[in-house]
Amino acid sequence: MVYGESGGGTGTGIDRRTAAKSAVAAAALLLAGGGGGGIAQARTADGITLRLPAPTGPHRIGVTTLYLVDRSRRDPWDESVPVREVMATVFYPARTVAGRPVARQMTAGAAERFRQIDVLVHHLPPTGVNWAATTTHAHRDAPAQPVRRPVLLYSPGGGDPRTLGTAVAEELASHGHVVVTVDHPGDAGEVEFPGRTPYRKERIRETVFRGDPRTDPQLFRTAIGTRIADIRFVLDRLEALAAGRNPGAPVRPLPADLGRALDLRRVGVYGHSAGGTAAAEAMYEDRRIGAAVNLEGYLDQAPQRSGEPGELFPVARHGADRPLLLLGTEGFEHRGELERSWSAVLARSGGRARRAQLDGAAHWVFADYAAMAPQLQAAGLMTAEARRDLVGVVDPAVSVPAVRNAVRSFFARHLRG
């Protein structure tokens, strides 16, 4: 894989020798327990079980979920919901994992809706996969190491749930970050809440999207604005957690020392597609965020009329004054549409924005599909063409460490403290 780069400021590129070394190391990890192309999968009556790539860092990982309620906002997608509900997952270096079971990637309820919704959107096999059986490498509610660590927030792709960002989040946590993956209910394919409410009769909420939000200017504007507000709200609640308060609603016991693990002087945000758009603009709007990674997200609004340019987001109009990484793929079919806004922010950021590209890859290589799609192809459940359209032709032993290393090295450089 070639990892190309352009822009000013400190570089983040990976040369061919580094990529080759990473590929060798990653292949061993994938074969040992992570899940890459060509690995024989366990088959049951419910279908094969996909595996996520193992994290490479020295820390064991704890994980917990947060149910957060913003009473200052109404839900933008459902007028009957008078508050904004957000679900988040926190991955963190654990003090011990003894007696703590490993978490599943998805809850059973979310996995069932995933099979009904996301599978159709991304042309995944409708049968033959037990989506609820995939495990993570993180242990539920394990006590945290009481050491202040950089905090990273993750916003997934448009229509995607936060669970599809598990592999990168675990990698970052294993190397000493606290990572908070954020769901955007009404946008995400499916979000499972801990219970019902008088205004939400179901535990699981499905997406309102019925197509590409980019084709509807008002829908896209609402989606990105809501994501930015969600990110900033979660950061508010993390401040409460770091101050010794429990931000949950309702309050439930949290892992020991979790609040003491948060260093909110060192905050970064990264996101994929619409999440990348939100990450870059959230950094522009919120001084608490010190660095951001945009994984192939537009930096302009959807155009009002076909063939006309959309309005640039402020971060693209005025440039970034803190470090920003723009990471794209060779196979993204809308690269031409992306070019205008990315070129604008690069030109106006005084070297603080960088741009890089993953060759042989396609748009969803930044999600857990990077490891999943090759396994589906190897099991005869996905065609080579469908795999190429989703994540590209690049081997997961190359793409998985390339994405992980790009994000990790960027934040390690720019959130030193």
Side-chain angles (χ1 to χ4, degrees):
M1 166 179 278
V2 175
Y3 187 103
E5 180 183 357
S6 65
T10 304
T12 57
I14 300 174
D15 61 24
R16 292 178 184 271
R17 288 176 298 176
T18 303
K21 291 178 182 178
S22 296
V24 172
L29 287 165
L30 289 165
L31 291 169
I39 299 175
Q41 299 297 323
R43 288 183 180 270
T44 68
D46 296 322
I48 66 169
T49 297
L50 301 177
R51 291 187 287 176
L52 297 174
T56 66
H59 299 289
R60 303 296 293 273
I61 307 168
V63 65
T64 195
T65 58
L66 298 175
Y67 168 55
L68 306 171
V69 178
D70 185 352
R71 303 190 185 281
S72 69
R73 287 187 292 155
R74 297 188 67 88
D75 189 89
W77 306 114
D78 186 343
E79 62 182 13
S80 69
V81 180
V83 297
R84 178 60 177 165
E85 300 173 290
V86 176
M87 290 297 298
T89 298
V90 186
F91 298 88
Y92 53 91
R95 175 164 45 84
T96 177
V97 297
R100 303 291 179 169
V102 174
R104 295 291 176 96
Q105 181 189 25
M106 304 182 199
T107 64
E112 177 59 25
R113 300 296 178 88
F114 179 91
R115 186 180 64 80
Q116 299 169 11
I117 299 170
D118 302 65
V119 160
L120 298 176
V121 172
H122 294 299
H123 305 291
L124 304 171
T127 60
V129 182
N130 185 351
W131 297 103
T134 298
T135 58
T136 69
H137 303 87
H139 298 260
R140 294 204 301 265
D141 295 324
Q145 296 177 18
V147 178
R148 298 288 184 187
R149 298 186 181 279
V151 176
L152 305 177
L153 282 71
Y154 169 71
S155 180
D160 284 346
R162 71 191 192 278
T163 49
L164 289 179
T166 298
V168 172
E170 289 192 322
E171 174 74 356
L172 294 167
S174 78
H175 284 275
H177 296 81
V178 175
V179 184
V180 184
T181 62
V182 181
D183 256 333
H184 305 285
D187 176 332
E190 60 287 323
V191 180
E192 183 161 7
F193 295 97
R196 298 172 176 83
T197 70
Y199 43 79
R200 179 178 41 76
K201 304 302 183 183
E202 301 294 332
R203 287 175 59 101
I204 299 176
R205 184 172 173 184
E206 297 181 359
T207 182
V208 302
F209 296 165
R210 294 297 180 265
D212 182 0
R214 187 76 180 171
T215 62
D216 184 328
Q218 186 54 50
L219 190 72
F220 185 78
R221 186 179 294 272
T222 299
I224 301 304
T226 302
R227 283 169 171 263
I228 293 169
D230 288 347
I231 289 169
R232 301 185 69 177
F233 166 65
V234 171
L235 189 49
D236 291 342
R237 304 317 296 147
L238 293 177
E239 289 179 339
L241 178 58
R245 301 190 296 276
N246 190 323
V251 171
R252 71 173 185 84
L254 292 178
D257 293 323
L258 182 60
R260 297 175 64 190
L262 306 176
D263 184 354
L264 295 175
R265 300 167 301 175
R266 294 183 288 168
V267 175
V269 181
Y270 68 106
H272 173 220
S273 196
T277 307
E281 185 59 24
M283 182 182 72
Y284 180 85
E285 296 182 16
D286 197 319
R287 300 299 304 180
R288 294 175 295 181
I289 300 169
V293 177
N294 174 357
L295 303 171
E296 210 154 62
Y298 297 99
L299 292 178
D300 58 0
Q301 298 283 1
Q304 294 291 329
R305 285 175 287 275
S306 179
E308 293 185 1
E311 176 191 2
L312 292 174
F313 280 100
V315 68
R317 260 197 330 269
H318 305 295
D321 64 356
R322 280 151 286 161
L324 172 64
L325 174 62
L326 308 174
L327 184 56
T329 63
E330 181 184 25
F332 184 41
E333 61 179 326
H334 301 294
R335 286 172 64 194
E337 297 174 41
L338 202 68
E339 183 61 35
R340 172 176 169 266
S341 64
W342 278 28
S343 295
V345 74
L346 287 167
R348 295 163 182 165
S349 298
R352 286 174 290 272
R354 304 290 300 182
R355 179 177 186 168
Q357 176 177 294
L358 287 89
D359 291 348
H363 188 58
W364 274 275
V365 77
F366 299 116
D368 290 342
Y369 293 128
M372 290 176 160
Q375 292 176 67
L376 294 172
Q377 183 187 2
L381 296 171
M382 176 177 270
T383 65
E385 180 181 16
R387 177 257 179 95
R388 183 196 66 214
D389 291 345
L390 190 66
V391 299
V393 298
V394 62
D395 193 286
V398 175
S399 63
V400 168
V403 173
R404 286 171 154 187
N405 292 344
V407 176
R408 180 166 61 86
S409 62
F410 176 81
F411 285 126
R413 180 178 303 112
H414 296 298
L415 298 179
R416 292 174 185 266

